[in-house]
Amino acid sequence: MTSAVYLDANATAPLAREVMAEMMPALADFFANPSSVHKPGQDARALVDKARERCARTLGCAAGEIVFTSGGTESDTLAILGGRPRKVVTTAVEHPAVLGACASAAECVRVPVSASGALDLDALKRALPGASICSVMAANIETGVIFTMREVAAICRS
């Protein structure tokens, strides 16, 4: 029997065994709604709170700063629109979830890329004045082009 090669890990990937081992008790024993007032719900809430605290320790932040979402699209939307930005700057080649969230802002500027896929940093500089948020992917999931995030961050800070 030949083994298959899976090449779409940007869409989904196998779950690491260590992650699965951590999740199984929650999936098997704590399936109740953590917003419920009954005992199974309170037990599920305690498990969610413990996970939030563990993430916060790992990231060096407060537990209240950790927000769990159902996936990437919800996370993108919350990150981009959560502060109700007036003007959003992004790239022309962002993931559709990012572009969809940006399109809901009052103003959205899409910064172009070159024929080789590199981000036009001069266009980024011109687009930023008045922006509330700038969303730029670190690496393009379709082309593999890696954006210069240090330069992007420096431009945003200036």
Side-chain angles (χ1 to χ4, degrees), residues 73-147:
T73 298
E74 184 180 349
S75 297
D76 292 337
T77 302
L78 178 61
I80 294 165
L81 298 178
R84 296 192 176 119
R86 189 189 69 71
K87 178 181 176 182
V88 176
V89 175
T90 190
T91 75
V93 294
E94 290 297 306
H95 189 277
V98 171
L99 294 175
C102 290
S104 296
E107 180 182 356
C108 176
V109 178
R110 294 184 185 187
V111 177
V113 297
S114 68
S116 66
L119 183 61
D120 183 338
L121 296 177
D122 289 329
L124 178 64
K125 289 176 190 174
R126 290 190 302 275
L128 282 172
S132 305
I133 188 169
C134 178
S135 176
V136 176
M137 64 173 61
N140 188 289
I141 61 173
E142 294 176 358
T143 66
V145 172
I146 298 172
F147 292 140

Side-chain angles (χ1 to χ4, degrees), residues 14 28 55 62 67 121:
C55 289
V67 176
L121 296 177

